[in-house]
Amino acid sequence: MSEPLPTIGYISHIVADALRDPTSGINTTQLRAEPNGGVSEALVFRSDALAKLAEKDAEIDKLQEAIKTARMAIEAGSLMRAAYVLDEALKGPEA
């Protein structure tokens, strides 16, 4: 299981929408250091989020390649090879 991204602050949905509108008069000073009940969402650095997405994309590519290899093994009549390939792929990087 991957670790969560570090939280840098919290923001309400209303403020988040207003930040997208340059005419709203809302700025980043509206961010909170603590969550505000059920009305705020955690913020993370964009670079951290993009790095996490790149990790997930690499994992998806690896699994798609394993599926392709398993399908080819099944077509060749090697069910055990297909099972082995899928088993290894599903163990993930933590194994």
Side-chain angles (χ1 to χ4, degrees), residues 6-79:
T7 300
I8 60 170
Y10 296 87
I11 192 168
S12 76
H13 299 287
I14 295 167
V15 174
D17 289 340
L19 281 172
R20 292 185 193 98
D21 179 6
T23 64
S24 71
I26 302 289
N27 58 42
T28 55
T29 60
Q30 302 287 332
L31 302 181
R32 299 168 120 2
E34 299 290 326
N36 184 15
V39 298
S40 62
E41 292 292 324
L43 296 175
V44 298
F45 283 114
R46 183 174 189 265
S47 58
D48 290 344
L50 291 175
K52 186 66 74 173
L53 288 172
E55 286 176 20
K56 295 296 181 187
D57 286 345
E59 187 177 343
I60 289 168
D61 290 344
K62 178 185 163 210
L63 291 172
Q64 286 176 333
E65 186 63 33
I67 290 169
K68 181 180 171 184
T69 301
R71 284 183 177 160
M72 290 179 2
I74 290 169
E75 289 173 4
S78 180
L79 297 178

